[in-house]
Amino acid sequence: MSGIGILFVIGALAVLGFPQSSGAQTMTAPGRAAAVAMAPRLTFSADEMALAEAVAGAPQLAAFYGSNGLKPIFQGEQGEARRKALLEVIALAPRHGLPAARYRPAELAAAGQGLAAERLHARVLLRYIRDMTGGVIRPSDADQQIHRQVRRPPADDLIRDFVRSADPAGFLAGLAPRHPAYLALQRALAGSEDLMPPPDLPPVPEAVWRIGQRGDGVLPLRRRLDSIGFSAPTVTPRLYDAALAEAVARYQSAVGLPSDGIAGPKTIRMLNGDGAGGSDRRQRMIAVALERMRWMGGEDLQARHIWVNIPEFTARIVEDGQEVFQTRVVVGKTDSDLRTPEFSDQMEYLVVNPRWNVPRSITVKEYLPRLKQNRYAVSHLDVVDSRGRIVPRDRIDFSRYTAASFPYRMQQKPSDDNALGLVKFIFPNPWNIYLHDTLTKHLFRNNIRAYSHGCIRIGDPFDLAYQLLSRQTDDPRGMFQRALSGGKERWLPLTPNVPVHLVYFTAFPDETGRMRYFDDIYGRDAAIWARLEAVGLDLDSERD
């Protein structure tokens, strides 16, 4: 038996007690009762020892069975109901974007009774519980810039609740996230085939079709739209008329494209099944989004929070499950070392008229080479020593330093041309990521907005500040503007702190429930999908 496993079992059995030696007979009756209640049971039947051996390799199973007196839960009449419940829910695994084969349905059905069947059912139950309450894979295994901390409830407690439940199948079905977005993703997964034209239809030639244009390419466009319920009757089939534009707009809305009614290359690729709207690719996007939602099962996404969806280039404030604010954002570039990471934290401060403490990576990679050529380059920045004192540049021989040895940092004072603009939003984290204002307002007009060094630039920073301050003052605009008018750096605490989630969903429902799809700008979805495909079916590979 595994040493660790037997320690789990023995520890859990400590409450069961065992008969005391003759030396204990001198105690009073109450004293003997207390001693028995506190002492561990050290003798076990052969069946109990065999079960302890069987579950010793899975600490959470060992903890549960130890606390359950080493009694099986999948045997006998009640065990039959639990076995049936487990088979019922794993048959529905594809609704969660997971293959039912991951849970060994054929082996479970043929398992029968006995210790081997108990162990198999228990390990499948543990796998299902862990998958539904925290996801299949460890986030950082897919990408090192996914710093998502998964908060799972203790599996042994959930197994105990499963055993006590009068409706074990209902209990297991209720373990997956119940957030409306998860349910919408499930519906989208089930209905994704409905938006895919039959493959034998002629493809639509790539073009840009607008109202009033004519051509043979309009004919296959009409046929493909008609095949999936987006009909546009006309007496001039080769004319791209207003009715066809309206049908295109309805299709675009259904697949998450801007519904402008213009059939351009992206719309046509989707209709042809080789773009983001293709059935297989769309199903992969939804399956990955479901996994990401399972990672966040421990977060209260109904409570007030900030939601920054990186590939959507959008930030929102959600209160009581409803969006109350939305703004465009700029996120990190696609360079491997400049991408915006994923994590959740607590926003604690608004900093008005902020200083910009230039990240060391920018200082040594971008500014030090320029300073070596001209010590007065980037003159809007101060050179600061380790004690925070500004050092005159004529006292520094920049040529003697390398990126590793440069002992100074760089800082920009509060000003109208500060790189952080007039406000930044702080949630202290090891990666020095925050939200902030910016001078480069023109970037918000672009559809693809990946231009920063990793931090998130906000399109409407003042409005975001007013909304965040609205819980602590009747005049959030006045509070912010008074701090701003002083011209000096001011830190405004947020009371209470506001959870902030930096997420990465390429498929997600909007506030109306309509599914939207976005490009996988960092390739993270592809990495997650590869891990989901590669995840083994070996039940002995589970990790806590």
Side-chain angles (χ1 to χ4, degrees):
M1 176 186 287
S2 159
I4 294 176
I6 195 61
L7 287 176
F8 268 99
V9 177
I10 294 300
L13 282 169
V15 299
L16 298 181
F18 71 103
Q20 300 296 300
S21 65
S22 58
Q25 294 176 359
T26 60
M27 304 173 85
T28 63
R32 286 196 301 273
V36 168
M38 294 173 61
R41 179 159 67 95
L42 300 179
T43 57
F44 307 95
S45 70
D47 288 343
E48 289 170 342
M49 287 297 294
L51 181 55
E53 285 272 7
V55 300
Q60 295 189 69
L61 288 181
F64 165 73
Y65 278 103
S67 67
N68 196 50
L70 286 175
K71 303 300 180 187
I73 61 173
F74 288 105
Q75 309 300 308
E77 184 176 345
Q78 287 185 312
E80 175 65 29
R82 294 172 190 142
R83 293 196 300 273
K84 181 179 178 182
L86 187 56
L87 279 170
E88 285 180 9
V89 295
I90 66 175
L92 302 178
R95 296 184 183 180
H96 300 277
L98 300 171
R102 175 169 168 76
Y103 306 102
R104 309 279 190 90
E107 293 179 49
L108 290 178
Q113 300 284 327
L115 178 63
E118 179 74 20
R119 180 182 185 272
L120 176 63
H121 281 82
R123 293 185 74 82
V124 169
L125 173 65
L126 176 62
R127 167 169 278 186
Y128 183 85
I129 285 174
R130 289 180 56 79
D131 286 355
M132 290 300 132
T133 60
V136 174
I137 67 173
R138 182 180 297 163
S140 60
D141 285 351
D143 191 300
Q144 290 300 308
Q145 290 175 312
I146 304 178
H147 306 297
R148 176 74 48 212
Q149 296 297 313
V150 177
R151 294 201 288 267
R152 305 176 190 266
D156 53 318
D157 287 346
L158 293 178
I159 296 173
R160 197 169 295 110
D161 293 339
F162 165 71
V163 170
R164 294 170 179 166
S165 175
D167 179 15
F171 174 81
L172 292 178
L175 291 177
R178 306 304 298 168
H179 190 273
Y182 191 87
L183 302 180
L185 286 163
Q186 286 188 296
R187 290 192 297 269
L189 184 67
S192 59
E193 294 288 348
D194 298 339
L195 295 175
M196 191 62 226
D200 57 340
L201 289 180
V204 184
E206 284 203 13
V208 178
W209 294 100
R210 293 182 172 88
I211 293 176
Q213 294 179 321
R214 299 171 184 265
D216 290 341
V218 176
L219 296 176
L221 175 63
R222 287 185 180 277
R223 290 189 65 187
R224 282 189 167 262
L225 286 169
D226 186 66
S227 73
I228 52 176
F230 297 93
S231 300
T234 184
V235 295
T236 313
R238 289 177 172 79
L239 174 64
Y240 195 91
D241 54 22
L244 181 55
E246 191 275 333
V248 168
R250 285 188 286 115
Y251 170 74
Q252 290 169 326
S253 177
V255 298
L257 287 174
S259 52
D260 56 13
I262 299 171
K266 197 164 187 178
T267 298
I268 290 172
R269 284 197 295 269
M270 284 192 170
L271 270 173
N272 287 339
D274 56 2
S279 178
D280 289 345
R281 185 177 178 189
R282 195 163 55 238
Q283 286 184 319
R284 291 196 297 270
M285 295 166 79
I286 296 170
V288 169
L290 287 165
E291 173 72 356
R292 288 180 173 280
M293 285 298 292
R294 289 189 290 268
W295 293 346
M296 301 188 72
E299 306 287 351
D300 184 358
L301 299 182
Q302 294 297 112
R304 188 187 195 215
H305 65 268
I306 301 165
W307 181 269
V308 180
N309 191 15
I310 296 166
E312 187 185 1
F313 310 109
T314 301
R316 295 174 170 83
I317 295 180
V318 176
E319 295 181 359
D320 299 322
Q322 301 297 315
E323 178 184 310
V324 298
F325 174 81
Q326 181 182 140
T327 185
R328 293 186 170 199
V329 302
V330 168
V331 301
K333 298 177 183 179
T334 57
D335 306 57
S336 61
D337 59 340
L338 298 178
R339 298 170 182 171
T340 299
E342 299 169 56
F343 62 97
S344 293
D345 214 307
Q346 294 283 323
M347 186 171 287
E348 299 179 14
Y349 301 100
L350 273 63
V351 184
V352 186
N353 298 314
R355 290 181 175 86
W356 181 37
N357 294 302
V358 182
R360 183 169 179 82
S361 60
I362 299 176
T363 296
V364 299
K365 290 181 181 179
E366 299 183 20
Y367 294 154
L368 181 58
R370 296 171 63 183
L371 292 167
K372 287 182 176 183
Q373 295 180 349
N374 175 9
R375 68 174 63 205
Y376 299 108
V378 291
S379 59
H380 62 293
L381 300 175
D382 292 326
V383 180
V384 181
D385 67 14
S386 60
R387 298 175 62 180
R389 298 173 301 189
I390 297 175
V391 182
R393 296 185 182 206
D394 57 9
R395 296 184 183 176
I396 304 172
D397 180 4
F398 291 101
S399 64
R400 62 179 292 203
Y401 296 114
T402 66
S405 65
F406 190 60
Y408 303 102
R409 56 189 178 88
M410 303 191 75
Q411 185 182 86
Q412 186 180 16
K413 294 185 179 72
S415 63
D416 290 340
D417 62 351
N418 188 287
L420 302 184
L422 296 173
V423 60
K424 68 177 179 179
F425 305 84
I426 301 296
F427 40 104
N429 60 82
W431 309 283
N432 197 29
I433 298 297
Y434 46 85
L435 279 56
H436 65 90
D437 185 13
T438 180
L439 301 178
T440 53
K441 304 290 187 183
H442 66 282
L443 296 177
F444 295 107
R445 295 195 295 267
N446 298 344
N447 289 328
I448 304 298
R449 298 188 291 276
Y451 299 106
S452 82
H453 287 78
C455 289
I456 298 112
R457 304 175 190 173
I458 301 297
D460 302 292
F462 284 18
D463 292 335
L464 175 60
Y466 302 154
Q467 186 67 42
L468 290 174
L469 292 169
S470 64
R471 290 287 183 93
Q472 61 196 74
T473 175
D474 294 333
D475 183 18
R477 182 186 295 266
M479 172 184 279
F480 180 83
Q481 289 294 335
R482 284 190 295 273
L484 184 65
S485 64
K488 296 182 179 180
E489 185 175 79
R490 283 278 308 278
W491 288 58
L492 301 180
L494 285 175
T495 52
N497 295 167
V498 182
V500 55
H501 305 293
L502 307 188
V503 300
Y504 190 102
F505 285 91
T506 61
F508 207 75
D510 64 16
E511 62 275 11
T512 70
R514 177 169 61 100
M515 197 58 56
R516 301 288 307 279
Y517 300 93
F518 313 101
D519 291 336
D520 184 11
I521 58 171
Y522 296 159
R524 289 180 187 165
D525 266 25
I528 293 171
W529 177 253
R531 296 289 302 184
L532 288 173
E533 280 197 307
V535 71
L537 298 180
D538 180 6
L539 288 176
D540 292 323
S541 67
E542 301 292 354
R543 291 176 300 181
D544 289 309

